[in-house]
Every structure is written in C-alpha cells, then in structure tokens.
C-alpha cells in the first residue's frame, strides 16, 4: 500500500481550525478529512487512521477534534505499521482569545490507552490546548490584525517558549502553506519519524536538556527552572499553588511542566503539568520499575510565564518541600502527612 503524507491540523478553537484546514487543503490541492467526521467516533485518532488509506491522494490534510490528544495523533501517523507519513502538525491559534483558552478549566472527554487497553478519561481543555502548541511544527496565529503590537509580541514569545522548534506564522502569509506541502518528511517543517525525537519538541523538555533556543523573544516573557532534591509536602504545595502561583503573586505562570515527588507517595516520580488555573500531578514511574536511574530524584520543573519573579517563585516552592525536621524523621511516617491531591488511579484499578 502506498504511503500517504498527512498534515495534521489541530487547535482548540473549532471555527478557526475548520476554516484554516479548508484553506490549507484548497491552497495545496490536498484532500481534507474533517474533524466533524472524526468527532462522531469514540476514538477520532483511530477513525482517521482507518480513513486515510482510502483517500485518493498521496497527500491529505486531516483536521482533528479537540478530543484527539496530540501525542496520540503523532503516534498514529509515525507508526511504522501504518501507511502514513507525518508531514507536519499545524496548530491554529486565535489571537483574540489565546490566553483565555490557556485558562479554561472545563474538561474534555477522550479515550486514553493504558497497556493496550482503552479507557475513558477527562482532561482539562487548557492542558490539551497547551500540548497542541508544544507538539506542533507550525503555529498559525489568526485574527491578529486588531491586536496591539505588544500583545502580539507576548503571544509569539509564549509560543516560542512552549514550542521552540515550531515555525510561527501569521494569517495572511500563504507562503508557508506551499512550503509545507512541498516539504517531505526530511524537510524543514516536517516532524521527525522517531518518537524519541518528537518527545523533545516541548519547550519544557528543551529547557531541562539545556537546548532551548527560540527566535521569538519579548522582555516580559521568560522561563525558569526549579530544582530541589527534597520531596514536596502535599498540603503546603497545595497552598502555594492556590495562594501564590494561581493568583499570580510572582507573575503570571502560563505553563509549568516537569517532574516532581510527593513525600506521601514515596518511590514514585510524577509528571507535573499546569496550564493557567488547571493543575495535574500524575504518576510516571516507580523507582523499582527500571534498573537505570529514576527520571528525577526530586523536583525538576520548568515554569513559563509573563513578568515572572524567579526568586519569589523559588522561595514559595522551597517552602512547600520538607523542612529539616521532617526530612530527618522516619520516611515511613511521611505517608501520614495531609495530602489533598487526588488518589492516583492505575491501569489495574481501571480494569477493576
């Protein structure tokens, strides 16, 4: 079966995403699979995978609905068992409510895979929207014409921090469409075919690897790295999140991501993922799961935002870790500390 090159169109704003997916398909002469068609399926990603081979072209534009997680989209298109090639991921971003989308706390229902088994999950829309930016190869900013130049500069800089490898283009510049359509998988705008390389696209990963470089800068936008070998005291961490970070006491934290450890949940590295008012801390790996070093020995988190005060943020987070007395106490007593965070549900728990 011939390989089909796919340009994935993503984004949280449905009308703008649909319009620009249509524009991209028209300008490049490619067939279009609409999100409306995929959205009626329980698994839009698998539905797209089943439809793509039946298209009449070797190149196709697929518009994915918001309930299709971007990591699953990319994984399906670079799967060596599938007759597809990922030509690029275009994230359509409406400049008029760019920041409000990253502050939405409503949830989206979608399927999530755990060890080959599908489960229904609920993920905050803001988290899905931020991941679209982090994993895209092209960020298309639309409805930007009426914005003050300084606000457009902030948007570009935030995109650059979240996705340093993405090309940032403005609506009205059609050259990028022709370049994207004419670029093969080894070209400048295409995403790599190796999952390991795709996983380095997010800005927070680039910062942790010391490889972050973005051409889009604004003096008010920056990222900082917070590291501390001590585990968090869950109750104090919750207070810092609610009373310091969310209200913007040390600047507007737009996005933070990385690895963390809670004292009450020993031997587990968790994934810290925050966008706007939404916070998620989920287990990644147990220390006993591998013979190599753990993903993290403590806290290793990248915070990105506007007008950040790194020293104040560091002090606040430091106060949420175990103090000297707590650290020297018996570790088996840590599990009795107050822990307001949700219980972690494992794949085995879901099966039951």
């Amino acid at each position: 079966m011939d390989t089909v090159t796919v340009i994935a169109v993503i984004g949280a704003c449905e009308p703008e995403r649909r319009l620009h997916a249509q524009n991209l398909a028209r300008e490049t002469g490619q067939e279009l699979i609409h999100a409306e068609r995929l959205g009626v399926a329980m698994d839009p990603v698998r539905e797209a995978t089943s439809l793509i081979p039946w298209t009449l072209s070797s190149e196709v534009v697929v518009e994915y609905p918001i309930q299709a997680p971007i990591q699953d989209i990319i994984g399906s298109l670079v799967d060596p068992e599938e007759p597809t090639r990922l030509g690029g991921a275009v994230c359509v971003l409406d400049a008029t409510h760019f920041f409000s989308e990253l502050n939405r706390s409503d949830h989206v229902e979608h399927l999530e895979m755990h060890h080959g088994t599908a489960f229904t999950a609920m993920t905050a829309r803001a988290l899905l929207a931020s991941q679209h930016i982090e994993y895209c190869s092209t960020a298309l900013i639309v409805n930007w014409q009426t914005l003050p130049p300084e606000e457009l500069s902030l948007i570009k800089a935030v995109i650059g921090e979240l996705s340093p490898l993405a090309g940032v283009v403005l609506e009205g510049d059609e050259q990028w469409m022709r370049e994207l359509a004419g670029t093969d998988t080894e070209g400048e705008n295409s995403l790599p075919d190796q999952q390991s390389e795709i996983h380095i696209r997010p800005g927070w990963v680039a910062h942790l690897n010391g490889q972050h470089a973005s051409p889009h800068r604004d003096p008010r936008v920056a990222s900082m790295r917070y590291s501390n070998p001590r585990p968090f005291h869950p109750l104090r961490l919750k207070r810092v999140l609610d009373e310091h970070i969310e209200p913007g006491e040390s600047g507007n934290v737009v996005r933070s991501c990385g690895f963390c450890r809670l004292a009450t949940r020993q031997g587990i590295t968790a994934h810290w993922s925050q966008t706007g008012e939404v916070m998620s801390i989920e287990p990644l790996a147990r220390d006993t799961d591998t013979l190599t070093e753990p993903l993290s020995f403590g806290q290793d988190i990248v915070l990105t935002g506007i007008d950040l005060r790194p020293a104040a943020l560091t002090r606040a987070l430091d106060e949420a870790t175990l103090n000297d007395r707590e650290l020297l106490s018996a570790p088996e007593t840590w599990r009795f500390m107050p822990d307001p965070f949700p219980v972690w549900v494992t794949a085995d728990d879901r099966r039951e």
Side-chain angles (χ1 to χ4, degrees):
M1 184 176 291
D2 293 337
T3 299
V4 180
T5 298
V6 179
I7 298 176
V9 178
I10 55 178
C13 302
E14 181 180 343
E16 289 79 11
R17 186 191 65 224
R18 179 174 60 248
L19 173 63
H20 290 279
Q22 293 170 344
N23 290 345
L24 177 58
R26 183 177 61 253
E27 289 294 325
T28 59
Q30 298 181 10
E31 191 170 341
L32 171 63
I33 298 177
H34 293 274
E36 188 176 11
R37 184 176 182 181
L38 302 179
V40 297
M42 287 190 61
D43 187 347
V45 175
R46 182 170 295 182
E47 181 71 7
T49 303
S50 67
L51 291 174
I52 290 169
W54 296 98
T55 57
L56 302 177
S57 172
S58 61
E59 298 177 328
V60 62
V61 174
V62 181
E63 178 206 358
Y64 287 90
I66 184 66
Q67 64 266 33
I70 182 59
Q71 295 99 321
D72 293 350
I73 294 172
I74 294 174
S76 70
L77 296 176
V78 302
D79 186 342
E81 300 298 320
E82 297 293 341
T84 54
R85 176 183 296 127
L86 181 56
V90 179
C91 182
V92 181
L93 300 163
D94 189 334
T96 59
H97 45 90
F98 176 83
F99 290 108
S100 63
E101 281 290 343
L102 294 177
N103 269 306
R104 291 185 59 165
S105 57
D106 54 311
H107 285 64
V108 175
E109 183 176 317
H110 61 93
L111 286 186
E112 194 171 272
M113 299 298 295
H114 289 275
H115 305 293
T117 304
F119 300 95
T120 300
M122 298 290 289
T123 299
R125 188 184 182 93
L127 291 177
L128 294 173
S130 64
Q131 291 166 0
H132 282 183
I133 298 172
E134 289 173 334
Y135 284 92
C136 75
S137 58
T138 300
L140 172 61
I141 304 175
V142 304
N143 300 332
W144 59 272
Q145 294 86 346
T146 60
L147 289 187
E150 56 272 19
E151 186 171 347
L152 181 59
S153 175
L154 288 178
I155 292 173
K156 287 182 176 180
V158 168
I159 294 172
E161 284 296 321
L162 298 185
S163 187
L165 298 181
V168 180
V169 296
L170 300 178
E171 178 186 20
D173 176 10
E174 298 179 353
Q175 179 62 28
W176 70 273
M177 297 189 197
R178 292 184 286 271
E179 292 176 352
L180 184 59
T183 303
D184 62 21
T185 54
E186 298 302 320
E188 180 180 354
N189 285 329
S190 62
L191 290 177
D193 281 339
Q194 298 298 320
Q195 285 280 25
S196 60
E197 295 178 19
I198 289 171
H199 289 159
I200 69 169
R201 296 195 69 85
W204 68 272
V205 177
H207 274 294
L208 292 183
N209 291 339
Q211 298 173 336
H212 193 285
S214 170
H216 305 286
R217 298 289 183 183
D218 186 283
R220 297 180 59 195
V221 176
S223 294
M224 59 164 281
R225 181 175 182 175
Y226 174 75
S227 298
N228 193 320
R230 300 187 179 207
F232 281 125
H233 185 295
L235 183 59
R236 291 203 295 270
L237 175 60
K238 186 68 165 56
R239 288 173 180 164
V240 168
L241 293 171
D242 292 345
E243 301 173 10
H244 193 95
I245 292 181
E246 184 178 321
E249 292 295 317
S250 297
N252 177 15
V253 179
V254 176
R255 173 78 166 141
S256 62
C257 218
F259 306 113
C260 69
R261 286 180 179 254
L262 301 179
T264 51
R265 310 181 192 199
Q266 296 177 47
I268 300 175
T269 298
H271 179 52
W272 168 301
S273 180
Q274 169 265 331
T275 304
E277 299 177 358
V278 178
M279 181 71 196
S280 170
I281 298 178
E282 295 291 338
L284 273 181
R286 293 184 178 274
D287 295 348
T288 55
D289 288 345
T290 175
L291 298 177
T292 60
E293 288 187 352
L295 288 172
S296 175
F297 288 101
Q299 324 306 335
D300 206 357
I301 304 162
V302 174
L303 300 94
T304 297
I306 301 171
D307 301 327
L308 295 186
R309 295 164 49 208
L313 280 168
T314 298
R315 283 196 302 272
L317 290 168
D318 280 348
E319 290 173 1
T321 62
L322 298 191
N323 58 36
D324 290 346
R325 178 182 57 80
E326 293 165 334
L327 193 65
L328 293 174
S329 64
E332 57 267 22
T333 65
W334 296 354
R335 63 188 180 93
F336 297 109
M337 295 176 176
D339 187 339
F341 292 99
V343 174
W344 288 337
V345 180
T346 67
D348 291 337
D349 294 331
R350 291 175 187 265
R351 291 192 187 96
E352 295 173 1

